[in-house]
Amino acid sequence: MISHGGWNALYLENHDQGRIVSRFASHAPEWRALSGKMLATFLALQSGTVFVYQGQELAMRNVPAEWTIDDFRDIETLNHWRELIAAYPEDKERQAEAMQEYKVKSRDNARTPMQWNKEAHAGFTTGEKPWINVHGDYETWNAEAQVSQPDSVYHYWARLLQLRRDRKDVFVYGDFNLVAPEHENVFAYMRASKGEGSALVVTNFRAETVSWTIPEEVRLFVKDGERIFGSYEAAPTVSGGEAVELRPFEAVVYWIT
């Protein structure tokens, strides 16, 4: 878009799609925060205008596994269920499969109330009950808690957007080039602006360590560049100057001037 006079609207979440930590990464307790940080890096350093959907900055997840059809409100989900029950009233296996799909694809996954704090209904309303149930993890996974945690997904987003603003000539208006797009596990790209600097953004979409062989055209970033941002506190290991050992759901940003 940017190379053809256009402008990108950058988004991964909206009211019709599942939560990205559940959809593209993992909401398992050990990976959830790392997934949220990796996906934030993947999105926020591309060219265009970044849209952050409510709760995305907290890594809110899809609906709980224990939800039943009575918890859903999305009309498409409910209509599909009614049609399924009418056509296959005794097919429990088919019904169970459909329910699993709803917990991945229903629009309600991104429509649970914003989790502000650990008070009743996650602080979303003082009324008797919100229009749809609050996610059951709100007592520990909420905005108030993350604001008080320096290493939270919320603060990671804040630092990431500050980086984007501070180096806007590169991360907002600079050139964009994919790096090794054929890789099945790693998404990497370059951002560059003549006279301002260049960045290499590398993200691991897997819940396992991935050895990423550094393409020749970007080897200088890892060899002589500066690691300016990352989802882990310490930099990843570089093996023999030829491969980066990316930890589960790791994101790393290298910079050269």
Side-chain angles (χ1 to χ4, degrees):
M1 288 289 286
I2 198 167
S3 61
H4 290 82
W7 192 252
N8 286 316
L10 300 170
Y11 70 93
L12 289 176
E13 284 192 13
N14 61 39
H15 63 288
D16 283 333
Q17 303 290 338
R19 293 289 185 174
I20 55 175
V21 293
S22 301
R23 186 180 181 193
F24 298 126
S26 174
H27 59 228
E30 66 269 33
W31 305 129
R32 185 173 177 181
L34 284 169
S35 293
K37 293 175 181 179
M38 181 275 290
L39 290 165
T41 311
F42 162 81
L43 178 69
L45 298 183
Q46 296 189 43
S47 60
T49 298
V50 180
F51 289 81
V52 184
Y53 181 68
Q54 58 177 18
Q56 182 179 346
E57 75 279 21
L58 307 179
M60 283 179 61
R61 52 158 292 182
N62 277 358
V63 300
E66 62 269 19
W67 267 30
T68 69
I69 194 61
D70 294 332
D71 294 301
F72 287 90
R73 296 292 179 268
D74 173 36
I75 191 64
E76 290 186 359
T77 300
L78 298 178
N79 284 343
H80 184 274
W81 180 256
R82 293 187 188 102
E83 293 170 5
L84 181 68
I85 294 301
Y88 306 99
E90 304 301 327
D91 194 337
K92 301 302 180 184
E93 182 177 351
R94 188 185 295 265
Q95 294 169 21
E97 289 176 356
M99 186 59 61
Q100 287 303 114
E101 290 297 309
Y102 301 155
K103 293 169 185 175
V104 175
K105 300 176 182 177
S106 172
R107 297 185 299 184
D108 283 339
N109 284 296
R111 297 180 180 186
T112 56
M114 178 68 181
Q115 294 168 207
W116 293 107
N117 54 44
K118 65 179 180 179
E119 303 302 323
H121 310 311
F124 180 79
T125 179
T126 56
E128 183 177 345
K129 187 178 181 180
W131 73 285
I132 189 172
N133 289 336
V134 175
H135 198 292
D137 65 7
Y138 76 89
E139 290 188 1
T140 56
W141 207 274
N142 59 67
E144 185 176 74
Q146 291 205 24
V147 167
S148 66
Q149 298 168 0
D151 64 343
S152 68
V153 180
Y154 170 84
H155 281 293
Y156 187 90
W157 260 107
R159 292 191 298 271
L160 188 61
L161 293 175
Q162 186 64 56
L163 172 66
R164 178 181 170 86
R165 180 176 181 177
D166 290 345
R167 307 193 189 196
K168 60 181 180 294
D169 289 337
V170 172
F171 291 121
V172 179
Y173 303 109
D175 294 332
F176 175 95
N177 290 288
L178 284 175
V179 175
E182 71 282 355
H183 203 287
E184 295 183 353
N185 303 316
V186 175
F187 193 98
Y189 58 88
M190 286 178 56
R191 302 303 316 280
S193 179
K194 189 174 181 180
E196 298 296 332
S198 302
L200 172 66
V201 181
V202 186
T203 54
N204 175 16
F205 273 70
R206 296 290 177 257
E208 59 191 30
T209 297
V210 173
S211 183
W212 186 63
T213 301
I214 310 166
E216 184 64 35
E217 68 268 24
V218 295
R219 196 158 291 177
L220 186 65
F221 283 93
V222 181
K223 180 182 178 182
D224 299 327
E226 176 189 4
R227 173 184 175 267
I228 61 169
F229 213 85
S231 54
Y232 283 75
E233 184 175 351
T237 300
V238 179
S239 302
E242 296 185 352
V244 178
E245 303 302 316
L246 296 166
R247 289 157 289 193
F249 300 116
E250 181 164 17
V252 59
V253 183
Y254 296 98
W255 180 271
I256 55 175
T257 302

